[in-house]
Amino acid sequence: MKTELLSLSKFFTENLFRIPDYQRGYSWTEAQLKDFWSDLTLLAPDRAHYTGVLTLEEVNPSDFEKWSDDLWIIRSKNFTPYYIVDGQQRLTTTPLNILLDVIDGAGSEDA
């Protein structure tokens, strides 16, 4: 079992994530989103945020061979496909919050 501490940029580089069918759908409410984002934005610049443990399962080639839309990036770019076993809410929320913050910041500069 691989266990390592990774930054978000390293985590999202050369990895492809899928939520297995047996996992529940995204369920965080607005309150949970605000709490999580507040934790990130109030963090001092010299501190790292411990997001918690994410549990991933590497996908067998016999399974990802069926992913016609994603197979090109797995093969040509050597991305490693993983199922998200635990941590879906945090993993889905983090890039979404960053994107929304960037969009909101870009819109406020035009005003």
Side-chain angles (χ1 to χ4, degrees):
M1 176 192 321
K2 271 184 6 182
T3 57
E4 39 185 317
L5 186 60
L6 300 174
S7 68
L8 280 177
S9 61
K10 178 71 174 165
F11 186 74
F12 283 110
T13 302
E14 297 180 3
N15 294 313
L16 179 70
F17 302 102
R18 281 263 179 118
I19 299 164
D21 293 338
Y22 60 82
Q23 287 288 8
R24 66 183 170 139
Y26 188 81
S27 63
W28 273 14
T29 64
E30 187 174 339
Q32 290 162 312
L33 290 169
K34 286 181 179 179
D35 286 345
F36 183 69
W37 192 239
S38 178
D39 285 349
L40 295 176
T41 57
L42 295 175
L43 195 64
D46 61 333
R47 302 292 309 233
H49 181 271
Y50 178 71
T51 305
V53 175
L54 300 171
T55 305
L56 306 173
E57 175 187 343
E58 197 163 342
V59 180
N60 291 323
S62 61
D63 291 332
F64 71 69
E65 289 292 329
K66 301 171 191 169
W67 301 354
S68 58
D69 290 340
D70 300 324
L71 201 51
W72 71 273
I73 200 165
I74 295 168
R75 288 188 177 153
S76 68
K77 300 293 185 182
N78 259 352
F79 274 42
T80 305
Y82 290 99
Y83 285 130
I84 304 168
V85 177
D86 183 48
Q88 174 200 158
Q89 311 301 314
R90 289 169 282 141
L91 190 58
T92 305
T93 300
T94 302
L96 176 63
N97 272 339
I98 292 168
L99 175 64
L100 291 174
D101 192 53
V102 167
I103 290 170
D104 184 50
S108 64
E109 290 176 10
D110 295 336

